[in-house]
Amino acid sequence: MLKARIQTAVSLIYPPRCLACGDWVDSDFGLCGPCWRDTPFISGTCCDGCGVALMGEEDGFRLECDDCMAHPRPWQQGRAALSYEGTARRLILALKHGDRTEIARPAARWLARAATTLLADNPLVAPVPLHWSRFLRRRYNQSDLLAKVMAQDADLDYCPDLLRRTRRTPSLEGQNRHQRYTTLMQSIAAHLKHAERISGRIVLLVDDVMTSGATLSACSEACLDAGATAVRVAVLARVTHS
């Protein structure tokens, strides 16, 4: 009762605003109607490998996009909540580089809705890691913020440091697929202190954006090498290729 009254008082003093445009909204951590319509949520038929939207209808068989068929993934299944364009891109850049950490909670819930099928069988939830030097500069890992909310809401096991970056790598921006995979080679490993925790478990990796899948592949291989039975990936947004 007291908590509800405090929340009501706070909402009167600081009315909720749209995460994208700042206009008033009816509920906290949300989008106004126009911004919601302009945000490219992925719904309907999608690729079972990376979550990108596909044409047609589901037929009961595994569906994959051309990219996933051409480049088989080491993970079992993947989902994405958004296409990385327009309002979605602006929100993710604000979360990643603009200290807009308040975006993480609603974004994680959008992601959980898209990744419902990945939450079965009690997976161990873990974020894609940042190198410690990049973490110190940014002060937070946006993937960790998303993973933590997802795990808490779904009452799943959560391990923020399941994986670690063994060496600092340059930014992948502007690199082609081959360059990205080469850059990340042997750069991610499972934490030795979590060896027993990961062995025999399904791992659900959470990240903000998937482009080529190189980072998620490196993370998936590290999990499998450490004894995970399978890996699933949930990304807030998928870069689409025209």
mmCIF file with all atom_site columns, all heavy atoms in Angstrom, residues 55-81:
data_model
loop_
_atom_site.group_PDB
_atom_site.id
_atom_site.type_symbol
_atom_site.label_atom_id
_atom_site.label_alt_id
_atom_site.label_comp_id
_atom_site.label_asym_id
_atom_site.label_entity_id
_atom_site.label_seq_id
_atom_site.pdbx_PDB_ins_code
_atom_site.Cartn_x
_atom_site.Cartn_y
_atom_site.Cartn_z
_atom_site.occupancy
_atom_site.B_iso_or_equiv
_atom_site.pdbx_formal_charge
_atom_site.auth_seq_id
_atom_site.auth_comp_id
_atom_site.auth_asym_id
_atom_site.auth_atom_id
_atom_site.pdbx_PDB_model_num
ATOM 1   N N   . MET A 1 55 ? 9.224  -13.274 -44.875 1.00 0.00 ? 55 MET A N   1
ATOM 2   C CA  . MET A 1 55 ? 7.964  -13.266 -45.594 1.00 0.00 ? 55 MET A CA  1
ATOM 3   C C   . MET A 1 55 ? 7.280  -14.625 -45.435 1.00 0.00 ? 55 MET A C   1
ATOM 4   O O   . MET A 1 55 ? 7.918  -15.636 -45.160 1.00 0.00 ? 55 MET A O   1
ATOM 5   C CB  . MET A 1 55 ? 8.215  -12.993 -47.081 1.00 0.00 ? 55 MET A CB  1
ATOM 6   C CG  . MET A 1 55 ? 8.872  -11.657 -47.371 1.00 0.00 ? 55 MET A CG  1
ATOM 7   S SD  . MET A 1 55 ? 7.764  -10.266 -47.053 1.00 0.00 ? 55 MET A SD  1
ATOM 8   C CE  . MET A 1 55 ? 6.628  -10.461 -48.440 1.00 0.00 ? 55 MET A CE  1
ATOM 9   N N   . GLY A 1 56 ? 5.971  -14.646 -45.611 1.00 0.00 ? 56 GLY A N   1
ATOM 10  C CA  . GLY A 1 56 ? 5.240  -15.901 -45.579 1.00 0.00 ? 56 GLY A CA  1
ATOM 11  C C   . GLY A 1 56 ? 4.754  -16.268 -44.193 1.00 0.00 ? 56 GLY A C   1
ATOM 12  O O   . GLY A 1 56 ? 4.788  -15.460 -43.259 1.00 0.00 ? 56 GLY A O   1
ATOM 13  N N   . GLU A 1 57 ? 4.305  -17.513 -44.054 1.00 0.00 ? 57 GLU A N   1
ATOM 14  C CA  . GLU A 1 57 ? 3.734  -18.005 -42.804 1.00 0.00 ? 57 GLU A CA  1
ATOM 15  C C   . GLU A 1 57 ? 4.524  -19.195 -42.295 1.00 0.00 ? 57 GLU A C   1
ATOM 16  O O   . GLU A 1 57 ? 5.164  -19.916 -43.062 1.00 0.00 ? 57 GLU A O   1
ATOM 17  C CB  . GLU A 1 57 ? 2.270  -18.410 -43.008 1.00 0.00 ? 57 GLU A CB  1
ATOM 18  C CG  . GLU A 1 57 ? 1.369  -17.256 -43.435 1.00 0.00 ? 57 GLU A CG  1
ATOM 19  C CD  . GLU A 1 57 ? -0.074 -17.693 -43.606 1.00 0.00 ? 57 GLU A CD  1
ATOM 20  O OE1 . GLU A 1 57 ? -0.338 -18.910 -43.422 1.00 0.00 ? 57 GLU A OE1 1
ATOM 21  O OE2 . GLU A 1 57 ? -0.919 -16.841 -43.913 1.00 0.00 ? 57 GLU A OE2 1
ATOM 22  N N   . GLU A 1 58 ? 4.473  -19.412 -40.987 1.00 0.00 ? 58 GLU A N   1
ATOM 23  C CA  . GLU A 1 58 ? 5.138  -20.566 -40.391 1.00 0.00 ? 58 GLU A CA  1
ATOM 24  C C   . GLU A 1 58 ? 4.458  -21.849 -40.868 1.00 0.00 ? 58 GLU A C   1
ATOM 25  O O   . GLU A 1 58 ? 3.241  -21.907 -41.006 1.00 0.00 ? 58 GLU A O   1
ATOM 26  C CB  . GLU A 1 58 ? 5.081  -20.479 -38.871 1.00 0.00 ? 58 GLU A CB  1
ATOM 27  C CG  . GLU A 1 58 ? 5.857  -19.286 -38.305 1.00 0.00 ? 58 GLU A CG  1
ATOM 28  C CD  . GLU A 1 58 ? 5.831  -19.255 -36.786 1.00 0.00 ? 58 GLU A CD  1
ATOM 29  O OE1 . GLU A 1 58 ? 5.297  -20.207 -36.187 1.00 0.00 ? 58 GLU A OE1 1
ATOM 30  O OE2 . GLU A 1 58 ? 6.347  -18.281 -36.207 1.00 0.00 ? 58 GLU A OE2 1
ATOM 31  N N   . ASP A 1 59 ? 5.283  -22.885 -41.099 1.00 0.00 ? 59 ASP A N   1
ATOM 32  C CA  . ASP A 1 59 ? 4.737  -24.152 -41.591 1.00 0.00 ? 59 ASP A CA  1
ATOM 33  C C   . ASP A 1 59 ? 5.054  -25.322 -40.670 1.00 0.00 ? 59 ASP A C   1
ATOM 34  O O   . ASP A 1 59 ? 4.889  -26.483 -41.039 1.00 0.00 ? 59 ASP A O   1
ATOM 35  C CB  . ASP A 1 59 ? 5.262  -24.445 -43.004 1.00 0.00 ? 59 ASP A CB  1
ATOM 36  C CG  . ASP A 1 59 ? 6.788  -24.500 -43.065 1.00 0.00 ? 59 ASP A CG  1
ATOM 37  O OD1 . ASP A 1 59 ? 7.430  -24.426 -41.987 1.00 0.00 ? 59 ASP A OD1 1
ATOM 38  O OD2 . ASP A 1 59 ? 7.336  -24.613 -44.172 1.00 0.00 ? 59 ASP A OD2 1
ATOM 39  N N   . GLY A 1 60 ? 5.521  -25.024 -39.458 1.00 0.00 ? 60 GLY A N   1
ATOM 40  C CA  . GLY A 1 60 ? 5.838  -26.086 -38.516 1.00 0.00 ? 60 GLY A CA  1
ATOM 41  C C   . GLY A 1 60 ? 7.264  -26.581 -38.594 1.00 0.00 ? 60 GLY A C   1
ATOM 42  O O   . GLY A 1 60 ? 7.696  -27.381 -37.754 1.00 0.00 ? 60 GLY A O   1
ATOM 43  N N   . PHE A 1 61 ? 8.012  -26.122 -39.595 1.00 0.00 ? 61 PHE A N   1
ATOM 44  C CA  . PHE A 1 61 ? 9.410  -26.519 -39.752 1.00 0.00 ? 61 PHE A CA  1
ATOM 45  C C   . PHE A 1 61 ? 10.309 -25.332 -39.410 1.00 0.00 ? 61 PHE A C   1
ATOM 46  O O   . PHE A 1 61 ? 9.871  -24.183 -39.386 1.00 0.00 ? 61 PHE A O   1
ATOM 47  C CB  . PHE A 1 61 ? 9.680  -26.980 -41.189 1.00 0.00 ? 61 PHE A CB  1
ATOM 48  C CG  . PHE A 1 61 ? 8.950  -28.235 -41.568 1.00 0.00 ? 61 PHE A CG  1
ATOM 49  C CD1 . PHE A 1 61 ? 7.719  -28.169 -42.209 1.00 0.00 ? 61 PHE A CD1 1
ATOM 50  C CD2 . PHE A 1 61 ? 9.493  -29.483 -41.277 1.00 0.00 ? 61 PHE A CD2 1
ATOM 51  C CE1 . PHE A 1 61 ? 7.036  -29.330 -42.549 1.00 0.00 ? 61 PHE A CE1 1
ATOM 52  C CE2 . PHE A 1 61 ? 8.818  -30.647 -41.621 1.00 0.00 ? 61 PHE A CE2 1
ATOM 53  C CZ  . PHE A 1 61 ? 7.579  -30.572 -42.258 1.00 0.00 ? 61 PHE A CZ  1
ATOM 54  N N   . ARG A 1 62 ? 11.577 -25.633 -39.155 1.00 0.00 ? 62 ARG A N   1
ATOM 55  C CA  . ARG A 1 62 ? 12.531 -24.577 -38.846 1.00 0.00 ? 62 ARG A CA  1
ATOM 56  C C   . ARG A 1 62 ? 12.703 -23.667 -40.062 1.00 0.00 ? 62 ARG A C   1
ATOM 57  O O   . ARG A 1 62 ? 12.896 -24.131 -41.190 1.00 0.00 ? 62 ARG A O   1
ATOM 58  C CB  . ARG A 1 62 ? 13.887 -25.181 -38.453 1.00 0.00 ? 62 ARG A CB  1
ATOM 59  C CG  . ARG A 1 62 ? 14.942 -24.138 -38.081 1.00 0.00 ? 62 ARG A CG  1
ATOM 60  C CD  . ARG A 1 62 ? 16.255 -24.806 -37.684 1.00 0.00 ? 62 ARG A CD  1
ATOM 61  N NE  . ARG A 1 62 ? 17.296 -23.828 -37.419 1.00 0.00 ? 62 ARG A NE  1
ATOM 62  C CZ  . ARG A 1 62 ? 17.498 -23.238 -36.238 1.00 0.00 ? 62 ARG A CZ  1
ATOM 63  N NH1 . ARG A 1 62 ? 16.718 -23.549 -35.207 1.00 0.00 ? 62 ARG A NH1 1
ATOM 64  N NH2 . ARG A 1 62 ? 18.473 -22.355 -36.068 1.00 0.00 ? 62 ARG A NH2 1
ATOM 65  N N   . LEU A 1 63 ? 12.637 -22.367 -39.829 1.00 0.00 ? 63 LEU A N   1
ATOM 66  C CA  . LEU A 1 63 ? 12.787 -21.378 -40.890 1.00 0.00 ? 63 LEU A CA  1
ATOM 67  C C   . LEU A 1 63 ? 14.049 -20.566 -40.645 1.00 0.00 ? 63 LEU A C   1
ATOM 68  O O   . LEU A 1 63 ? 14.313 -20.144 -39.511 1.00 0.00 ? 63 LEU A O   1
ATOM 69  C CB  . LEU A 1 63 ? 11.577 -20.443 -40.929 1.00 0.00 ? 63 LEU A CB  1
ATOM 70  C CG  . LEU A 1 63 ? 10.216 -21.088 -41.210 1.00 0.00 ? 63 LEU A CG  1
ATOM 71  C CD1 . LEU A 1 63 ? 9.103  -20.052 -41.061 1.00 0.00 ? 63 LEU A CD1 1
ATOM 72  C CD2 . LEU A 1 63 ? 10.187 -21.692 -42.606 1.00 0.00 ? 63 LEU A CD2 1
ATOM 73  N N   . GLU A 1 64 ? 14.823 -20.346 -41.701 1.00 0.00 ? 64 GLU A N   1
ATOM 74  C CA  . GLU A 1 64 ? 16.038 -19.553 -41.571 1.00 0.00 ? 64 GLU A CA  1
ATOM 75  C C   . GLU A 1 64 ? 16.142 -18.579 -42.731 1.00 0.00 ? 64 GLU A C   1
ATOM 76  O O   . GLU A 1 64 ? 15.713 -18.865 -43.849 1.00 0.00 ? 64 GLU A O   1
ATOM 77  C CB  . GLU A 1 64 ? 17.275 -20.448 -41.534 1.00 0.00 ? 64 GLU A CB  1
ATOM 78  C CG  . GLU A 1 64 ? 17.412 -21.275 -40.265 1.00 0.00 ? 64 GLU A CG  1
ATOM 79  C CD  . GLU A 1 64 ? 18.744 -22.000 -40.193 1.00 0.00 ? 64 GLU A CD  1
ATOM 80  O OE1 . GLU A 1 64 ? 19.454 -22.069 -41.208 1.00 0.00 ? 64 GLU A OE1 1
ATOM 81  O OE2 . GLU A 1 64 ? 19.091 -22.493 -39.100 1.00 0.00 ? 64 GLU A OE2 1
ATOM 82  N N   . CYS A 1 65 ? 16.736 -17.426 -42.440 1.00 0.00 ? 65 CYS A N   1
ATOM 83  C CA  . CYS A 1 65 ? 16.976 -16.436 -43.484 1.00 0.00 ? 65 CYS A CA  1
ATOM 84  C C   . CYS A 1 65 ? 18.165 -16.878 -44.335 1.00 0.00 ? 65 CYS A C   1
ATOM 85  O O   . CYS A 1 65 ? 18.889 -17.822 -43.994 1.00 0.00 ? 65 CYS A O   1
ATOM 86  C CB  . CYS A 1 65 ? 17.253 -15.067 -42.853 1.00 0.00 ? 65 CYS A CB  1
ATOM 87  S SG  . CYS A 1 65 ? 18.773 -14.991 -41.864 1.00 0.00 ? 65 CYS A SG  1
ATOM 88  N N   . ASP A 1 66 ? 18.390 -16.214 -45.461 1.00 0.00 ? 66 ASP A N   1
ATOM 89  C CA  . ASP A 1 66 ? 19.493 -16.565 -46.360 1.00 0.00 ? 66 ASP A CA  1
ATOM 90  C C   . ASP A 1 66 ? 20.837 -16.470 -45.638 1.00 0.00 ? 66 ASP A C   1
ATOM 91  O O   . ASP A 1 66 ? 21.734 -17.292 -45.857 1.00 0.00 ? 66 ASP A O   1
ATOM 92  C CB  . ASP A 1 66 ? 19.495 -15.640 -47.580 1.00 0.00 ? 66 ASP A CB  1
ATOM 93  C CG  . ASP A 1 66 ? 18.294 -15.876 -48.489 1.00 0.00 ? 66 ASP A CG  1
ATOM 94  O OD1 . ASP A 1 66 ? 17.657 -16.945 -48.364 1.00 0.00 ? 66 ASP A OD1 1
ATOM 95  O OD2 . ASP A 1 66 ? 17.996 -14.992 -49.316 1.00 0.00 ? 66 ASP A OD2 1
ATOM 96  N N   . ASP A 1 67 ? 20.974 -15.460 -44.757 1.00 0.00 ? 67 ASP A N   1
ATOM 97  C CA  . ASP A 1 67 ? 22.230 -15.246 -44.052 1.00 0.00 ? 67 ASP A CA  1
ATOM 98  C C   . ASP A 1 67 ? 22.546 -16.422 -43.128 1.00 0.00 ? 67 ASP A C   1
ATOM 99  O O   . ASP A 1 67 ? 23.680 -16.905 -43.062 1.00 0.00 ? 67 ASP A O   1
ATOM 100 C CB  . ASP A 1 67 ? 22.156 -13.947 -43.251 1.00 0.00 ? 67 ASP A CB  1
ATOM 101 C CG  . ASP A 1 67 ? 23.528 -13.442 -42.824 1.00 0.00 ? 67 ASP A CG  1
ATOM 102 O OD1 . ASP A 1 67 ? 24.509 -13.699 -43.548 1.00 0.00 ? 67 ASP A OD1 1
ATOM 103 O OD2 . ASP A 1 67 ? 23.625 -12.786 -41.770 1.00 0.00 ? 67 ASP A OD2 1
ATOM 104 N N   . CYS A 1 68 ? 21.537 -16.892 -42.386 1.00 0.00 ? 68 CYS A N   1
ATOM 105 C CA  . CYS A 1 68 ? 21.761 -18.004 -41.467 1.00 0.00 ? 68 CYS A CA  1
ATOM 106 C C   . CYS A 1 68 ? 21.980 -19.316 -42.211 1.00 0.00 ? 68 CYS A C   1
ATOM 107 O O   . CYS A 1 68 ? 22.715 -20.193 -41.737 1.00 0.00 ? 68 CYS A O   1
ATOM 108 C CB  . CYS A 1 68 ? 20.582 -18.135 -40.497 1.00 0.00 ? 68 CYS A CB  1
ATOM 109 S SG  . CYS A 1 68 ? 20.556 -16.852 -39.212 1.00 0.00 ? 68 CYS A SG  1
ATOM 110 N N   . MET A 1 69 ? 21.351 -19.477 -43.371 1.00 0.00 ? 69 MET A N   1
ATOM 111 C CA  . MET A 1 69 ? 21.579 -20.689 -44.157 1.00 0.00 ? 69 MET A CA  1
ATOM 112 C C   . MET A 1 69 ? 22.980 -20.690 -44.757 1.00 0.00 ? 69 MET A C   1
ATOM 113 O O   . MET A 1 69 ? 23.638 -21.734 -44.831 1.00 0.00 ? 69 MET A O   1
ATOM 114 C CB  . MET A 1 69 ? 20.518 -20.815 -45.261 1.00 0.00 ? 69 MET A CB  1
ATOM 115 C CG  . MET A 1 69 ? 19.144 -21.218 -44.733 1.00 0.00 ? 69 MET A CG  1
ATOM 116 S SD  . MET A 1 69 ? 17.985 -21.693 -46.050 1.00 0.00 ? 69 MET A SD  1
ATOM 117 C CE  . MET A 1 69 ? 17.668 -20.075 -46.791 1.00 0.00 ? 69 MET A CE  1
ATOM 118 N N   . ALA A 1 70 ? 23.449 -19.517 -45.158 1.00 0.00 ? 70 ALA A N   1
ATOM 119 C CA  . ALA A 1 70 ? 24.780 -19.418 -45.757 1.00 0.00 ? 70 ALA A CA  1
ATOM 120 C C   . ALA A 1 70 ? 25.876 -19.513 -44.703 1.00 0.00 ? 70 ALA A C   1
ATOM 121 O O   . ALA A 1 70 ? 26.988 -19.968 -44.995 1.00 0.00 ? 70 ALA A O   1
ATOM 122 C CB  . ALA A 1 70 ? 24.908 -18.104 -46.527 1.00 0.00 ? 70 ALA A CB  1
ATOM 123 N N   . HIS A 1 71 ? 25.552 -19.097 -43.484 1.00 0.00 ? 71 HIS A N   1
ATOM 124 C CA  . HIS A 1 71 ? 26.546 -19.081 -42.410 1.00 0.00 ? 71 HIS A CA  1
ATOM 125 C C   . HIS A 1 71 ? 25.928 -19.725 -41.168 1.00 0.00 ? 71 HIS A C   1
ATOM 126 O O   . HIS A 1 71 ? 25.399 -19.022 -40.298 1.00 0.00 ? 71 HIS A O   1
ATOM 127 C CB  . HIS A 1 71 ? 26.983 -17.647 -42.102 1.00 0.00 ? 71 HIS A CB  1
ATOM 128 C CG  . HIS A 1 71 ? 27.471 -16.894 -43.302 1.00 0.00 ? 71 HIS A CG  1
ATOM 129 N ND1 . HIS A 1 71 ? 28.732 -17.061 -43.821 1.00 0.00 ? 71 HIS A ND1 1
ATOM 130 C CD2 . HIS A 1 71 ? 26.845 -15.981 -44.097 1.00 0.00 ? 71 HIS A CD2 1
ATOM 131 C CE1 . HIS A 1 71 ? 28.873 -16.285 -44.889 1.00 0.00 ? 71 HIS A CE1 1
ATOM 132 N NE2 . HIS A 1 71 ? 27.753 -15.619 -45.075 1.00 0.00 ? 71 HIS A NE2 1
ATOM 133 N N   . PRO A 1 72 ? 25.974 -21.047 -41.072 1.00 0.00 ? 72 PRO A N   1
ATOM 134 C CA  . PRO A 1 72 ? 25.364 -21.755 -39.933 1.00 0.00 ? 72 PRO A CA  1
ATOM 135 C C   . PRO A 1 72 ? 25.855 -21.210 -38.600 1.00 0.00 ? 72 PRO A C   1
ATOM 136 O O   . PRO A 1 72 ? 27.041 -20.936 -38.416 1.00 0.00 ? 72 PRO A O   1
ATOM 137 C CB  . PRO A 1 72 ? 25.815 -23.203 -40.149 1.00 0.00 ? 72 PRO A CB  1
ATOM 138 C CG  . PRO A 1 72 ? 26.037 -23.310 -41.627 1.00 0.00 ? 72 PRO A CG  1
ATOM 139 C CD  . PRO A 1 72 ? 26.592 -21.980 -42.033 1.00 0.00 ? 72 PRO A CD  1
ATOM 140 N N   . ARG A 1 73 ? 24.932 -21.049 -37.665 1.00 0.00 ? 73 ARG A N   1
ATOM 141 C CA  . ARG A 1 73 ? 25.252 -20.471 -36.360 1.00 0.00 ? 73 ARG A CA  1
ATOM 142 C C   . ARG A 1 73 ? 25.606 -21.568 -35.348 1.00 0.00 ? 73 ARG A C   1
ATOM 143 O O   . ARG A 1 73 ? 25.038 -22.659 -35.399 1.00 0.00 ? 73 ARG A O   1
ATOM 144 C CB  . ARG A 1 73 ? 24.043 -19.683 -35.834 1.00 0.00 ? 73 ARG A CB  1
ATOM 145 C CG  . ARG A 1 73 ? 23.397 -18.743 -36.836 1.00 0.00 ? 73 ARG A CG  1
ATOM 146 C CD  . ARG A 1 73 ? 24.325 -17.648 -37.289 1.00 0.00 ? 73 ARG A CD  1
ATOM 147 N NE  . ARG A 1 73 ? 23.629 -16.671 -38.127 1.00 0.00 ? 73 ARG A NE  1
ATOM 148 C CZ  . ARG A 1 73 ? 24.215 -15.627 -38.702 1.00 0.00 ? 73 ARG A CZ  1
ATOM 149 N NH1 . ARG A 1 73 ? 25.515 -15.418 -38.529 1.00 0.00 ? 73 ARG A NH1 1
ATOM 150 N NH2 . ARG A 1 73 ? 23.515 -14.782 -39.435 1.00 0.00 ? 73 ARG A NH2 1
ATOM 151 N N   . PRO A 1 74 ? 26.502 -21.272 -34.415 1.00 0.00 ? 74 PRO A N   1
ATOM 152 C CA  . PRO A 1 74 ? 26.808 -22.252 -33.367 1.00 0.00 ? 74 PRO A CA  1
ATOM 153 C C   . PRO A 1 74 ? 25.742 -22.308 -32.280 1.00 0.00 ? 74 PRO A C   1
ATOM 154 O O   . PRO A 1 74 ? 25.754 -23.205 -31.449 1.00 0.00 ? 74 PRO A O   1
ATOM 155 C CB  . PRO A 1 74 ? 28.151 -21.755 -32.802 1.00 0.00 ? 74 PRO A CB  1
ATOM 156 C CG  . PRO A 1 74 ? 28.147 -20.287 -33.069 1.00 0.00 ? 74 PRO A CG  1
ATOM 157 C CD  . PRO A 1 74 ? 27.416 -20.117 -34.367 1.00 0.00 ? 74 PRO A CD  1
ATOM 158 N N   . TRP A 1 75 ? 24.840 -21.342 -32.284 1.00 0.00 ? 75 TRP A N   1
ATOM 159 C CA  . TRP A 1 75 ? 23.756 -21.375 -31.305 1.00 0.00 ? 75 TRP A CA  1
ATOM 160 C C   . TRP A 1 75 ? 22.535 -22.096 -31.886 1.00 0.00 ? 75 TRP A C   1
ATOM 161 O O   . TRP A 1 75 ? 22.396 -22.275 -33.094 1.00 0.00 ? 75 TRP A O   1
ATOM 162 C CB  . TRP A 1 75 ? 23.390 -19.964 -30.844 1.00 0.00 ? 75 TRP A CB  1
ATOM 163 C CG  . TRP A 1 75 ? 22.896 -19.025 -31.901 1.00 0.00 ? 75 TRP A CG  1
ATOM 164 C CD1 . TRP A 1 75 ? 21.636 -18.940 -32.402 1.00 0.00 ? 75 TRP A CD1 1
ATOM 165 C CD2 . TRP A 1 75 ? 23.659 -18.006 -32.592 1.00 0.00 ? 75 TRP A CD2 1
ATOM 166 N NE1 . TRP A 1 75 ? 21.552 -17.940 -33.350 1.00 0.00 ? 75 TRP A NE1 1
ATOM 167 C CE2 . TRP A 1 75 ? 22.782 -17.351 -33.481 1.00 0.00 ? 75 TRP A CE2 1
ATOM 168 C CE3 . TRP A 1 75 ? 24.981 -17.581 -32.523 1.00 0.00 ? 75 TRP A CE3 1
ATOM 169 C CZ2 . TRP A 1 75 ? 23.197 -16.295 -34.303 1.00 0.00 ? 75 TRP A CZ2 1
ATOM 170 C CZ3 . TRP A 1 75 ? 25.403 -16.539 -33.340 1.00 0.00 ? 75 TRP A CZ3 1
ATOM 171 C CH2 . TRP A 1 75 ? 24.510 -15.912 -34.214 1.00 0.00 ? 75 TRP A CH2 1
ATOM 172 N N   . GLN A 1 76 ? 21.646 -22.482 -30.985 1.00 0.00 ? 76 GLN A N   1
ATOM 173 C CA  . GLN A 1 76 ? 20.493 -23.302 -31.355 1.00 0.00 ? 76 GLN A CA  1
ATOM 174 C C   . GLN A 1 76 ? 19.352 -22.487 -31.944 1.00 0.00 ? 76 GLN A C   1
ATOM 175 O O   . GLN A 1 76 ? 18.727 -22.885 -32.930 1.00 0.00 ? 76 GLN A O   1
ATOM 176 C CB  . GLN A 1 76 ? 20.008 -24.049 -30.101 1.00 0.00 ? 76 GLN A CB  1
ATOM 177 C CG  . GLN A 1 76 ? 18.821 -24.965 -30.295 1.00 0.00 ? 76 GLN A CG  1
ATOM 178 C CD  . GLN A 1 76 ? 18.333 -25.513 -28.966 1.00 0.00 ? 76 GLN A CD  1
ATOM 179 O OE1 . GLN A 1 76 ? 17.906 -24.767 -28.088 1.00 0.00 ? 76 GLN A OE1 1
ATOM 180 N NE2 . GLN A 1 76 ? 18.421 -26.824 -28.799 1.00 0.00 ? 76 GLN A NE2 1
ATOM 181 N N   . GLN A 1 77 ? 19.045 -21.360 -31.327 1.00 0.00 ? 77 GLN A N   1
ATOM 182 C CA  . GLN A 1 77 ? 17.884 -20.565 -31.731 1.00 0.00 ? 77 GLN A CA  1
ATOM 183 C C   . GLN A 1 77 ? 18.106 -19.111 -31.345 1.00 0.00 ? 77 GLN A C   1
ATOM 184 O O   . GLN A 1 77 ? 18.779 -18.811 -30.348 1.00 0.00 ? 77 GLN A O   1
ATOM 185 C CB  . GLN A 1 77 ? 16.627 -21.098 -31.041 1.00 0.00 ? 77 GLN A CB  1
ATOM 186 C CG  . GLN A 1 77 ? 15.321 -20.507 -31.539 1.00 0.00 ? 77 GLN A CG  1
ATOM 187 C CD  . GLN A 1 77 ? 14.122 -21.132 -30.839 1.00 0.00 ? 77 GLN A CD  1
ATOM 188 O OE1 . GLN A 1 77 ? 14.254 -21.705 -29.757 1.00 0.00 ? 77 GLN A OE1 1
ATOM 189 N NE2 . GLN A 1 77 ? 12.944 -21.028 -31.438 1.00 0.00 ? 77 GLN A NE2 1
ATOM 190 N N   . GLY A 1 78 ? 17.561 -18.191 -32.132 1.00 0.00 ? 78 GLY A N   1
ATOM 191 C CA  . GLY A 1 78 ? 17.730 -16.769 -31.832 1.00 0.00 ? 78 GLY A CA  1
ATOM 192 C C   . GLY A 1 78 ? 16.466 -15.978 -32.099 1.00 0.00 ? 78 GLY A C   1
ATOM 193 O O   . GLY A 1 78 ? 15.643 -16.357 -32.939 1.00 0.00 ? 78 GLY A O   1
ATOM 194 N N   . ARG A 1 79 ? 16.320 -14.890 -31.376 1.00 0.00 ? 79 ARG A N   1
ATOM 195 C CA  . ARG A 1 79 ? 15.188 -13.983 -31.546 1.00 0.00 ? 79 ARG A CA  1
ATOM 196 C C   . ARG A 1 79 ? 15.651 -12.538 -31.386 1.00 0.00 ? 79 ARG A C   1
ATOM 197 O O   . ARG A 1 79 ? 16.606 -12.239 -30.670 1.00 0.00 ? 79 ARG A O   1
ATOM 198 C CB  . ARG A 1 79 ? 14.086 -14.272 -30.526 1.00 0.00 ? 79 ARG A CB  1
ATOM 199 C CG  . ARG A 1 79 ? 13.284 -15.535 -30.796 1.00 0.00 ? 79 ARG A CG  1
ATOM 200 C CD  . ARG A 1 79 ? 12.426 -15.391 -32.038 1.00 0.00 ? 79 ARG A CD  1
ATOM 201 N NE  . ARG A 1 79 ? 11.578 -16.556 -32.278 1.00 0.00 ? 79 ARG A NE  1
ATOM 202 C CZ  . ARG A 1 79 ? 11.939 -17.610 -32.976 1.00 0.00 ? 79 ARG A CZ  1
ATOM 203 N NH1 . ARG A 1 79 ? 13.157 -17.669 -33.503 1.00 0.00 ? 79 ARG A NH1 1
ATOM 204 N NH2 . ARG A 1 79 ? 11.106 -18.617 -33.159 1.00 0.00 ? 79 ARG A NH2 1
ATOM 205 N N   . ALA A 1 80 ? 14.944 -11.635 -32.060 1.00 0.00 ? 80 ALA A N   1
ATOM 206 C CA  . ALA A 1 80 ? 15.210 -10.196 -31.960 1.00 0.00 ? 80 ALA A CA  1
ATOM 207 C C   . ALA A 1 80 ? 13.880 -9.475  -31.794 1.00 0.00 ? 80 ALA A C   1
ATOM 208 O O   . ALA A 1 80 ? 12.865 -9.895  -32.355 1.00 0.00 ? 80 ALA A O   1
ATOM 209 C CB  . ALA A 1 80 ? 15.929 -9.699  -33.211 1.00 0.00 ? 80 ALA A CB  1
ATOM 210 N N   . ALA A 1 81 ? 13.886 -8.391  -31.032 1.00 0.00 ? 81 ALA A N   1
ATOM 211 C CA  . ALA A 1 81 ? 12.656 -7.638  -30.804 1.00 0.00 ? 81 ALA A CA  1
ATOM 212 C C   . ALA A 1 81 ? 12.423 -6.582  -31.878 1.00 0.00 ? 81 ALA A C   1
ATOM 213 O O   . ALA A 1 81 ? 11.283 -6.275  -32.212 1.00 0.00 ? 81 ALA A O   1
ATOM 214 C CB  . ALA A 1 81 ? 12.696 -6.976  -29.429 1.00 0.00 ? 81 ALA A CB  1
#
